Amino acid sequence: MGAAAQGRSPLALARGLVRTSRPRQWVKNVLVVAAPVAAGQFWSWHSAGRLAVVFGLFTAAAAAVYLVNDARDAAADRAHPVKRYRPVAAGVVPVPLAYGTGAALGLGAAGAAAVWCNGMTALALAAYLIMQLAYCVRLKHVLVVDLAVVAAGFLLRAMAGGIALNIPLSRWFLITTGFGALFMVAAKRYSEAVQLADAQGATRALLTQYTPGYLRFVWQSAAVVAVLGYCLWALESGGVAHGALLPWRQLSVVAFVLAVLRYAVFADRGTAGAPEDVVLRDRPLAVIGLVWAAMYGMAVADL
């Protein structure tokens, strides 16, 4: 009785809700700065403040989706060797509280976007919520569509930052971002399929319907399209910019391709199951990313 009471204490509930919102996944919402940085419209207090708001709203929306997802899957998660320790499955966070908090965060985020940003930002956030909730309820059980929906979540994040600042979005930016996201999503699924090939009941049911060969085909195809899209995006602006020493935007293609190739090493090994760990912990990839950022920054600044 004492343990149960302790597990339902306000502090335990708060911690459980935070854990359910997956703080490690919040780094994905940094994508909201992608379009403004690419357009060179990030470096002002107004832009930074607006993007901080968009980042917070997408963090709240993502937390809402995770809460609803864990509430729906609580019974199944209790039979999973790892997911049974999730706060909702473990009984630390009651299912009704998870649903209620998720609904409040989702509705609050959409409403705040309409008030603090603009109608199109609110529409993008609402589209994200609808797609991700549909994924939790049904679409995660539909082959191929599940990959597309998760990738679209990344794309909507990247679009939202530009929309919030009224920045026109290049078709090549959208193609590169969308297929780059699909590359990482498919690589994650491929890694899960490779690592859990002999543990049919220990992962999502849909994963057993994909073959590793098919998932490899998807992430390789997506990587090719992402690289092609970036090349066309970089070359679209022509040669050397006004007063620039070198064609930095075009040269950044080299760093971008190297980054994709480096990430593909982990995908090919089947160790890209946690994309955030690969991106944040691999030093060569981090160095390549910094080189790309420096090149693209010099292109934006016409140096």
Side-chain angles (χ1 to χ4, degrees), residues 176-198:
T176 302
T177 305
F179 280 93
L182 181 60
F183 163 51
M184 299 183 73
V185 171
K188 173 181 169 65
R189 292 286 191 272
Y190 173 77
S191 297
E192 292 173 345
V194 170
Q195 294 175 6
L196 300 172
D198 298 326

Side-chain angles (χ1 to χ4, degrees), residues 62-186:
V65 174
Y66 285 128
L67 284 160
V68 172
N69 178 75
D70 284 10
R72 281 186 55 83
D73 293 348
D77 287 350
R78 293 187 187 104
H80 192 280
V82 176
K83 295 179 181 180
R84 63 179 178 173
Y85 297 110
R86 287 178 174 176
V88 180
V92 175
V93 175
V95 170
L97 178 62
Y99 274 125
T101 306
L105 285 173
L107 293 173
V115 174
W116 295 339
C117 299
N118 54 44
M120 288 299 295
T121 305
L123 185 61
L125 190 72
Y128 171 84
L129 280 167
I130 291 170
M131 289 180 61
Q132 298 305 312
L133 290 174
Y135 175 85
C136 295
V137 175
R138 178 73 182 97
L139 297 183
K140 66 181 177 181
H141 302 297
V142 182
L143 286 169
V144 181
V145 173
D146 71 309
L147 300 175
V149 170
V150 177
F154 287 92
L155 180 59
L156 283 169
R157 288 178 173 97
M159 291 173 60
I163 291 171
L165 296 180
N166 297 311
I167 298 172
L169 299 175
S170 163
R171 60 189 183 279
W172 302 124
F173 170 80
L174 297 176
I175 289 173
T176 302
T177 305
F179 280 93
L182 181 60
F183 163 51
M184 299 183 73
V185 171

